[in-house]
Amino acid sequence: MPAGFTIQELESWNERILVLVEKFGLDPYPQEFEICDHEQMLGYMVYSGMPSHYPHWSYGKNFEKLKTLYDYGVSGLPYEMVINSNPSIAYLMRDNSLLLQVLTIAHVYGHNDFFKNNFTFKSTRAQYTIETFKAHANRIRHYMEDPSIGLEKVEPILDAAHALSVQCRRNLAIRKPSQEEDVERRLSESAPAHDPFHSIHRRQDYVAPDLNRVPLYPEEDLLLFIRDHNPLFSDWEKDILTIVHEEAQYFIPQMETKIMNEGWASFWHKRILDTLELPQGMQLEFVVRHNQVLSPARGSINPYHLGMKVWEDIERRWDKPAVDEKRDTGVKAKTGREKVFEVREVERDASFLRRYLTEELIRELNLFEYQSRGGDQVVARVADDDNWRAIKETLIKNVGTGTIPVIKIEDADYNKNRVLFLRHYHDGRDLQLEYAEKTLRYLHLLWSREVVLETEINGKQSLLCFADDKLTIKPVH
Amino acid sequence: MSTVFRSYDSASSQRSDRCAGDRQRHREKVHEAIRQNIADIISEESIIGKDRDRIIKVPIRGVKEYRFVYGDNAPGVGQGGPDTQPGQVIGKGEQGGDGQQAGDRPGVDYYETDVALDELIDMMFEDLELPYLERKHLRQMEVEQLYKRKGYRKKGIRIRLDKRRTAVSRVKRKKAVQRADAFALRPQRFPFHRDDLVYRHTVTQVRRESNAIVVCIMDTSGSMDTMKKYLARSFFFLLYRFVCTKYQNVEIVFVAHHTEAAEVTEDEFFHKGEAGGTFISSGYRKALEIIEQRYHPSLWNVYVFHCSDGDNFESDNAAALQAAKDLAGVSNLFGYGEVKPLGSGYYGSSMIQFFSQLAADNFQTVQIQRKEDIWPAFKGFLSRERTRDDAA
């Protein structure tokens, strides 16, 4: 091994780190580390770290892009890549120095602990991750090699499914009600409310609910709904939609907790390395590297930096609250350590920021809101007395799945014509029309009939109707 | 809790270029996208008249991954310094930082791929699908004959007898006989048999060489302005490139004419302004003269193309028609392109109508009005050629 370390060295550092991990109360899955070179690292990055994954050109595109950026020195490679599985797998780049390996190992345990304990990851079935992705890959390869199907049929379905894959349920901790439960809910909703004065009131008319409507309640899982309701699909097509949907759902928790997760891992790698008593040379390198990773990104948000700031703030406020902060922490105050462990279990980015990003922190970080005006990004608000709340709201809208428009299927038989009707739940942000058009084309391909999306464009309710290979925009009357 | 470290294995790293297939497929898609946009690329001035090895930047559409994303009016949050003030401009269009997340913002179209001009030309002509053009119009010369060994035969002439193989096959036969009959071991004569003989087989290979000459004739009279010249030039460029893909040895001759014609260099042809009136016949006569002297049709495939704005002197029309007939007689393909940019003001007559009297079946006329017309016109020009071939 040409690198400046041996496996034995890594193992001994790892043992010392593990002692601290246990002492601090972190509770990770068993961990596996794989040493790889930078080409392999690029390969893993493209497939989100998965040892096996089905093929699709978009991964090739991503590879080229990353490689170009890396070759031209625009961006470096991440020090660590870790996947949410049990045992967890992480990759270490062999060209990195020993200190970076130690830093990465400590950082990885932070992620690993987060994967195991945060509520959003409960639905990801970590013990089957690797096998599931492998099975998916095998199935899709099988379809591609099947002479009666082949790449030329599989690829358009994959393209279309990828375009819609993140249009799925966001909070997987809430169980999806079954069809029967939906029917029941609909019936009980339409039953007249209990009236304690029924003897003197006129009896309300009972309006029978329309139980034939499909779906009964607006449906967020676009791919699954299409899979179950397009009668023209054959089994392999349904299977592809299922696979793409499941993979998207697997990654939703990671999107939902990006800031928390990175902050948490950085918070702990710092603590671990500070406690490790590194030799002086390594200590200096640690300070440099740590500051590189944790430096605030001017003009945007560095999730490592923001996350770690909030975590440190929580710990401080619960350990040594300033006088005016006492009321926030409650009477039977927990220690800072207890509090952060509780928070890492029950929050995700949106709720984490809403509850724990304080006005002081917003000011300290100099957060600002920008808006695009005539092609330029212009600062619209800075963190002053009037605006910090608005900035916080905007930030919360832009983390996790907040960046994905909420679009739900409302009717699969719109105008009694098997037209698929969807609604965009507009929250002040318009859809990008070119992208919407192309995505509707994919939706149309999967649904194999006209699709209609209701949304707001420049303040006007509009219908985007995609049929006969073209998009028409109609105002809503 | 046990932690596993798996050490680096350089062999497996070399083997495991797992992304190769996906990269390949992506590249195919990029090429497809380029081919679809060829008409646009052609109308970009930059590619014409460049070196063969020149790398061109080609903008590509159609390899983006579309999703539902928010548009321009979605605000974002960034981290600034204490000096950040409302109204400050922090960037253009694209946001930095959090752009990698799926479903985030429309990505930048980073696609401007580098393609070698040659590769691009190949892609362009791939679309044309003109399988017969080559065969019918190739006036070939057999330049070289050579003999090449190709396998062995049981029959042949004495001089090609392969003694070594013949001996080997005799030994083989002997062994076989011995195995079949153990008593045949007695020492006795075991002569060559007719079946043992092996002859070398040779084939004759003919290398054909094909020559083509492209004669570009352009009207450089006062009425041909820069735009018209540019359109003409684009057409010549395509024709030249196309002929290059079909013949091994292609030469190009430039003839510029107003009332008189002269053979000029490429540079002069495209850039030198002339003035004066137009005698189309002068250009044709000059071309005929050059072909007669240097590129005789028995040895050369002749392609003649003439670009003009159709503004010929009335008195010359009859002479021009006669000259055109003669030219059509000596060339494989003779084309006349009339360049009339839109809005250039319509004056003068169209020679296209006049040339319709010319009954030669290898004569073609096209009309080009805008940059975008060039590629369709060129395609049409060649496909008519093909239809005629098929009919013949």
Side-chain angles (χ1 to χ4, degrees), chain A residues 71 80 101 120 130 148 155-157 159 183 193 251 289 309 352 369 398 449 458 469 476:
Chain A
D71 286 349
E80 119 279 0
Q101 309 296 356
T120 55
I130 305 294
S148 66
E155 200 178 80
I157 300 279
D159 289 354
V183 170
F251 289 112
R289 296 292 186 186
K309 277 282 183 193
F352 176 71
E369 184 179 319
N398 277 302
R449 277 188 71 87
N458 299 329
D469 214 32
V476 176

mmCIF file of all heavy atoms in Angstrom, chain A residues 71 80 101 120 130 148 155-157 159 183 193 251 289 309 352 369 398 449 458 469 476:
data_model
loop_
_atom_site.group_PDB
_atom_site.id
_atom_site.type_symbol
_atom_site.label_atom_id
_atom_site.label_comp_id
_atom_site.label_asym_id
_atom_site.label_seq_id
_atom_site.Cartn_x
_atom_site.Cartn_y
_atom_site.Cartn_z
ATOM 1 N N ASP A 71 -11.209 16.283 -12.209
ATOM 2 C CA ASP A 71 -9.979 16.397 -12.991
ATOM 3 C C ASP A 71 -9.519 17.835 -13.133
ATOM 4 O O ASP A 71 -8.326 18.118 -13.162
ATOM 5 C CB ASP A 71 -10.168 15.792 -14.385
ATOM 6 C CG ASP A 71 -10.206 14.281 -14.329
ATOM 7 O OD1 ASP A 71 -9.877 13.739 -13.251
ATOM 8 O OD2 ASP A 71 -10.560 13.652 -15.335
ATOM 9 N N GLU A 80 -15.579 11.021 2.758
ATOM 10 C CA GLU A 80 -16.271 9.822 3.210
ATOM 11 C C GLU A 80 -17.517 9.579 2.378
ATOM 12 O O GLU A 80 -18.093 10.484 1.798
ATOM 13 C CB GLU A 80 -16.622 9.978 4.681
ATOM 14 C CG GLU A 80 -18.078 9.940 5.041
ATOM 15 C CD GLU A 80 -18.810 11.270 4.827
ATOM 16 O OE1 GLU A 80 -18.196 12.269 4.381
ATOM 17 O OE2 GLU A 80 -20.015 11.305 5.091
ATOM 18 N N GLN A 101 -8.135 9.776 7.345
ATOM 19 C CA GLN A 101 -8.801 8.496 7.571
ATOM 20 C C GLN A 101 -9.404 8.467 8.979
ATOM 21 O O GLN A 101 -10.547 8.050 9.167
ATOM 22 C CB GLN A 101 -7.835 7.322 7.411
ATOM 23 C CG GLN A 101 -7.023 7.313 6.130
ATOM 24 C CD GLN A 101 -7.871 7.163 4.882
ATOM 25 O OE1 GLN A 101 -9.078 6.989 4.957
ATOM 26 N NE2 GLN A 101 -7.248 7.265 3.727
ATOM 27 N N THR A 120 -36.767 8.878 10.908
ATOM 28 C CA THR A 120 -37.091 8.840 9.474
ATOM 29 C C THR A 120 -36.527 7.594 8.797
ATOM 30 O O THR A 120 -37.010 7.176 7.757
ATOM 31 C CB THR A 120 -36.538 10.068 8.727
ATOM 32 O OG1 THR A 120 -35.141 10.143 8.970
ATOM 33 C CG2 THR A 120 -37.190 11.342 9.174
ATOM 34 N N ILE A 130 -28.454 -3.817 1.032
ATOM 35 C CA ILE A 130 -27.551 -4.281 -0.018
ATOM 36 C C ILE A 130 -28.249 -5.329 -0.884
ATOM 37 O O ILE A 130 -28.198 -5.269 -2.120
ATOM 38 C CB ILE A 130 -26.280 -4.879 0.616
ATOM 39 C CG1 ILE A 130 -25.631 -3.875 1.539
ATOM 40 C CG2 ILE A 130 -25.312 -5.355 -0.439
ATOM 41 C CD1 ILE A 130 -25.095 -2.664 0.855
ATOM 42 N N SER A 148 -37.455 -10.294 -25.617
ATOM 43 C CA SER A 148 -38.775 -9.744 -25.947
ATOM 44 C C SER A 148 -38.985 -8.369 -25.316
ATOM 45 O O SER A 148 -39.994 -7.723 -25.569
ATOM 46 C CB SER A 148 -39.864 -10.698 -25.496
ATOM 47 O OG SER A 148 -39.868 -10.780 -24.086
ATOM 48 N N GLU A 155 -35.515 1.360 -21.186
ATOM 49 C CA GLU A 155 -34.962 2.688 -20.920
ATOM 50 C C GLU A 155 -36.028 3.800 -20.861
ATOM 51 O O GLU A 155 -36.015 4.599 -19.921
ATOM 52 C CB GLU A 155 -33.885 3.032 -21.938
ATOM 53 C CG GLU A 155 -32.990 4.132 -21.435
ATOM 54 C CD GLU A 155 -31.890 4.448 -22.420
ATOM 55 O OE1 GLU A 155 -32.162 5.169 -23.387
ATOM 56 O OE2 GLU A 155 -30.770 3.955 -22.230
ATOM 57 N N PRO A 156 -36.954 3.854 -21.814
ATOM 58 C CA PRO A 156 -37.967 4.914 -21.700
ATOM 59 C C PRO A 156 -38.779 4.821 -20.409
ATOM 60 O O PRO A 156 -39.118 5.855 -19.810
ATOM 61 C CB PRO A 156 -38.880 4.664 -22.902
ATOM 62 C CG PRO A 156 -38.052 3.903 -23.861
ATOM 63 C CD PRO A 156 -37.094 3.104 -23.059
ATOM 64 N N ILE A 157 -39.064 3.604 -19.969
ATOM 65 C CA ILE A 157 -39.818 3.463 -18.717
ATOM 66 C C ILE A 157 -38.975 3.970 -17.549
ATOM 67 O O ILE A 157 -39.466 4.689 -16.677
ATOM 68 C CB ILE A 157 -40.196 1.980 -18.484
ATOM 69 C CG1 ILE A 157 -41.048 1.474 -19.641
ATOM 70 C CG2 ILE A 157 -40.910 1.805 -17.162
ATOM 71 C CD1 ILE A 157 -42.487 1.833 -19.553
ATOM 72 N N ASP A 159 -36.518 6.169 -17.713
ATOM 73 C CA ASP A 159 -36.423 7.631 -17.824
ATOM 74 C C ASP A 159 -37.645 8.282 -17.200
ATOM 75 O O ASP A 159 -37.547 9.214 -16.408
ATOM 76 C CB ASP A 159 -36.347 8.065 -19.296
ATOM 77 C CG ASP A 159 -35.008 7.709 -19.924
ATOM 78 O OD1 ASP A 159 -34.122 7.240 -19.198
ATOM 79 O OD2 ASP A 159 -34.867 7.886 -21.148
ATOM 80 N N VAL A 183 -61.898 3.956 2.777
ATOM 81 C CA VAL A 183 -63.349 3.902 2.597
ATOM 82 C C VAL A 183 -64.043 4.232 3.905
ATOM 83 O O VAL A 183 -64.970 5.056 3.968
ATOM 84 C CB VAL A 183 -63.778 2.507 2.092
ATOM 85 C CG1 VAL A 183 -65.302 2.365 2.125
ATOM 86 C CG2 VAL A 183 -63.251 2.259 0.693
ATOM 87 N N ALA A 193 -72.308 15.157 11.933
ATOM 88 C CA ALA A 193 -71.627 15.292 13.206
ATOM 89 C C ALA A 193 -72.633 15.058 14.347
ATOM 90 O O ALA A 193 -73.826 15.305 14.197
ATOM 91 C CB ALA A 193 -71.023 16.684 13.320
ATOM 92 N N PHE A 251 -34.136 6.764 -0.310
ATOM 93 C CA PHE A 251 -33.298 7.950 -0.165
ATOM 94 C C PHE A 251 -34.016 9.165 0.423
ATOM 95 O O PHE A 251 -33.385 10.150 0.768
ATOM 96 C CB PHE A 251 -32.674 8.328 -1.515
ATOM 97 C CG PHE A 251 -31.612 7.357 -1.937
ATOM 98 C CD1 PHE A 251 -31.802 6.524 -3.019
ATOM 99 C CD2 PHE A 251 -30.436 7.249 -1.213
ATOM 100 C CE1 PHE A 251 -30.831 5.607 -3.385
ATOM 101 C CE2 PHE A 251 -29.460 6.339 -1.573
ATOM 102 C CZ PHE A 251 -29.656 5.516 -2.661
ATOM 103 N N ARG A 289 -8.212 20.703 8.257
ATOM 104 C CA ARG A 289 -9.238 19.951 7.518
ATOM 105 C C ARG A 289 -10.633 20.234 8.056
ATOM 106 O O ARG A 289 -11.582 20.419 7.304
ATOM 107 C CB ARG A 289 -8.974 18.444 7.622
ATOM 108 C CG ARG A 289 -7.681 18.008 6.987
ATOM 109 C CD ARG A 289 -7.755 18.176 5.489
ATOM 110 N NE ARG A 289 -6.564 17.624 4.865
ATOM 111 C CZ ARG A 289 -6.288 17.720 3.583
ATOM 112 N NH1 ARG A 289 -7.114 18.371 2.786
ATOM 113 N NH2 ARG A 289 -5.196 17.183 3.088
ATOM 114 N N LYS A 309 -23.607 23.959 13.894
ATOM 115 C CA LYS A 309 -23.890 25.142 14.702
ATOM 116 C C LYS A 309 -25.128 24.928 15.560
ATOM 117 O O LYS A 309 -25.150 25.252 16.746
ATOM 118 C CB LYS A 309 -24.112 26.354 13.791
ATOM 119 C CG LYS A 309 -22.824 27.023 13.361
ATOM 120 C CD LYS A 309 -22.326 27.869 14.485
ATOM 121 C CE LYS A 309 -21.066 28.625 14.069
ATOM 122 N NZ LYS A 309 -20.403 29.204 15.249
ATOM 123 N N PHE A 352 -36.375 20.314 12.897
ATOM 124 C CA PHE A 352 -35.140 20.621 13.616
ATOM 125 C C PHE A 352 -34.842 22.125 13.536
ATOM 126 O O PHE A 352 -34.605 22.776 14.550
ATOM 127 C CB PHE A 352 -34.021 19.800 12.975
ATOM 128 C CG PHE A 352 -32.635 20.015 13.493
ATOM 129 C CD1 PHE A 352 -32.271 19.558 14.757
ATOM 130 C CD2 PHE A 352 -31.665 20.606 12.695
ATOM 131 C CE1 PHE A 352 -30.970 19.703 15.213
ATOM 132 C CE2 PHE A 352 -30.376 20.758 13.149
ATOM 133 C CZ PHE A 352 -30.024 20.310 14.410
ATOM 134 N N GLU A 369 -32.048 36.155 2.632
ATOM 135 C CA GLU A 369 -32.922 35.531 1.642
ATOM 136 C C GLU A 369 -32.644 36.186 0.303
ATOM 137 O O GLU A 369 -32.467 37.406 0.221
ATOM 138 C CB GLU A 369 -34.373 35.765 2.038
ATOM 139 C CG GLU A 369 -35.353 35.074 1.113
ATOM 140 C CD GLU A 369 -36.790 35.308 1.547
ATOM 141 O OE1 GLU A 369 -37.063 35.265 2.761
ATOM 142 O OE2 GLU A 369 -37.615 35.547 0.660
ATOM 143 N N ASN A 398 -36.843 25.271 2.031
ATOM 144 C CA ASN A 398 -35.809 24.851 1.090
ATOM 145 C C ASN A 398 -34.941 23.714 1.584
ATOM 146 O O ASN A 398 -33.924 23.409 0.987
ATOM 147 C CB ASN A 398 -34.911 26.036 0.740
ATOM 148 C CG ASN A 398 -35.525 26.868 -0.348
ATOM 149 O OD1 ASN A 398 -35.795 26.385 -1.425
ATOM 150 N ND2 ASN A 398 -35.782 28.126 -0.038
ATOM 151 N N ARG A 449 -52.525 8.022 -21.445
ATOM 152 C CA ARG A 449 -53.637 8.876 -21.867
ATOM 153 C C ARG A 449 -53.356 10.294 -21.415
ATOM 154 O O ARG A 449 -52.340 10.544 -20.774
ATOM 155 C CB ARG A 449 -54.952 8.373 -21.273
ATOM 156 C CG ARG A 449 -55.563 7.251 -22.085
ATOM 157 C CD ARG A 449 -56.934 6.894 -21.597
ATOM 158 N NE ARG A 449 -57.949 7.903 -21.894
ATOM 159 C CZ ARG A 449 -58.635 7.974 -23.017
ATOM 160 N NH1 ARG A 449 -58.382 7.156 -23.996
ATOM 161 N NH2 ARG A 449 -59.574 8.870 -23.157
ATOM 162 N N ASN A 458 -47.925 32.597 -12.430
ATOM 163 C CA ASN A 458 -47.978 34.048 -12.250
ATOM 164 C C ASN A 458 -49.304 34.501 -11.620
ATOM 165 O O ASN A 458 -49.933 35.418 -12.104
ATOM 166 C CB ASN A 458 -47.786 34.772 -13.587
ATOM 167 C CG ASN A 458 -46.438 34.453 -14.188
ATOM 168 O OD1 ASN A 458 -45.471 34.217 -13.458
ATOM 169 N ND2 ASN A 458 -46.378 34.402 -15.499
ATOM 170 N N ASP A 469 -48.962 14.645 -27.742
ATOM 171 C CA ASP A 469 -47.575 15.059 -27.887
ATOM 172 C C ASP A 469 -47.346 16.555 -27.718
ATOM 173 O O ASP A 469 -46.327 17.075 -28.112
ATOM 174 C CB ASP A 469 -47.047 14.622 -29.264
ATOM 175 C CG ASP A 469 -45.575 14.267 -29.176
ATOM 176 O OD1 ASP A 469 -45.162 13.779 -28.108
ATOM 177 O OD2 ASP A 469 -44.854 14.504 -30.153
ATOM 178 N N VAL A 476 -58.162 28.283 -15.630
ATOM 179 C CA VAL A 476 -59.278 27.619 -14.949
ATOM 180 C C VAL A 476 -60.435 28.594 -14.875
ATOM 181 O O VAL A 476 -60.263 29.742 -14.483
ATOM 182 C CB VAL A 476 -58.862 27.205 -13.525
ATOM 183 C CG1 VAL A 476 -60.045 26.609 -12.795
ATOM 184 C CG2 VAL A 476 -57.727 26.228 -13.587
#
